[in-house]
Amino acid sequence: MKKIMIVAFSLLISIPAMAAGWTNWFTIDSLGYDFYKTDAAYAFAYVIPDGTVENPDLCGSSSQYVLAESHNTATVAASNNAKESSKLPTLAYTAGWQVRLYLNGCQFGFPHAYAVEIKKP
């Protein structure tokens, strides 16, 4: 019984921590794909919201959210993940739906989104 209570308590603690990383629902103003040159070449997809961008990790800029990235030494799986990550935001953008993102850290100086949810407004 103690194990069940400890697991339940752990879940209750982790749920608010996960929820804290989600942005508010917003409409997408535009989508983009950019190239960033460092010692390794990176490409990344991003979302520009219609309105204010939440920046909980105090990234250098808050004009957009980075969805996924790949670089010139990326595996096929990493490159496919970068392509897949833009499908839900693209659907939301074209249908006029709202989106919210789970943010965790910064990438290329912008908030980095690890998960996407969409809904009809």
Side-chain angles (χ1 to χ4, degrees):
M1 184 67 171
K2 284 185 180 181
K3 288 182 182 178
I4 293 173
M5 290 182 69
I6 291 171
V7 170
F9 182 72
S10 297
L11 285 173
L12 288 174
I13 290 174
S14 66
I15 290 171
M18 288 174 47
W22 287 99
T23 65
N24 294 323
W25 291 99
F26 63 89
T27 304
I28 297 173
D29 179 66
S30 59
L31 300 168
Y33 189 78
D34 209 347
F35 183 74
Y36 185 76
K37 182 72 173 150
T38 59
D39 55 337
Y42 288 85
F44 61 96
Y46 59 89
V47 170
I48 298 176
D50 183 19
T52 305
V53 176
E54 295 173 62
N55 189 359
D57 292 310
L58 302 174
C59 302
S61 177
S62 60
S63 61
Q64 62 196 25
Y65 295 112
V66 174
L67 295 173
E69 72 285 337
S70 63
H71 52 86
N72 60 2
T73 59
T75 63
V76 173
S79 296
N80 286 339
N81 183 45
K83 291 177 195 172
E84 291 294 320
S85 70
S86 65
K87 287 184 178 180
L88 282 178
T90 301
L91 173 62
Y93 176 69
T94 56
W97 291 4
Q98 292 183 319
V99 64
R100 74 178 187 155
L101 307 170
Y102 183 77
L103 303 178
N104 189 1
C106 304
Q107 190 70 32
F108 308 113
F110 301 105
H112 192 190
Y114 278 84
V116 178
E117 287 186 339
I118 63 174
K119 72 171 186 173
K120 284 185 175 181

